[in-house]
Amino acid sequence: MVIAVLVTSVAAFVVSSAWYMAFGPVWARLSPAGAVARPSPWRMGAEFARTVVLVAAFALLAGAVRVDGVPGALGLALLLWAGFPVVILAGSVLHERVPVRLAALHAGDFLAKIAVVAVLLGVWR
């Protein structure tokens, strides 16, 4: 399972990086963090570590609730996406005045990332 987590982490990291490259101009308009030309190596390393934690947690949870295959993993991914990052991002919009478009940008990234995680781990199981 360690190999599956590492391979899936790399894939999810690449998808997330591509997401922010594709939506970089939008991100730059909405947030000073998006205006940075290129993230520093330590930020990229930290982001990869966050991705490994996400993938490992998803793998452990999928195993604990006995999710097998891609359809079940995608269902779990959608549930987790709606229940956690969407709720947290909605709170940041409501209470911290984060622009809706910025929250939607991050929610889209998380959805793309968790879908890749679900498909790859679903195939692996």
Side-chain angles (χ1 to χ4, degrees):
M1 186 53 93
V2 172
I3 301 287
V5 167
L6 290 176
V7 169
T8 302
S9 296
V10 169
F13 180 80
V14 168
V15 165
S16 184
S17 298
W19 178 270
Y20 284 106
M21 286 172 43
F23 291 102
V26 174
W27 188 26
R29 283 193 308 275
L30 297 171
S31 171
V36 176
R38 179 175 215 147
S40 64
W42 78 266
R43 283 189 194 270
M44 291 175 65
E47 188 57 37
F48 183 72
R50 287 172 16 111
T51 302
V52 171
V53 170
L54 168 72
V55 173
F58 187 93
L60 289 170
L61 182 59
V65 298
R66 296 190 174 137
V67 169
D68 284 325
V70 173
L74 282 171
L76 178 61
L78 188 58
L79 179 67
L80 293 173
W81 174 76
F84 293 97
V86 169
V87 169
I88 291 167
L89 289 166
S92 69
V93 169
L94 290 171
H95 302 292
E96 297 175 9
R97 297 187 178 139
V98 169
V100 172
R101 290 182 66 204
L102 181 59
L105 177 75
H106 294 317
D109 164 60
F110 198 91
L111 181 60
K113 186 185 312 188
I114 198 90
V116 166
V117 170
V119 168
L120 293 179
L121 291 180
V123 167
W124 213 287
R125 293 182 63 94

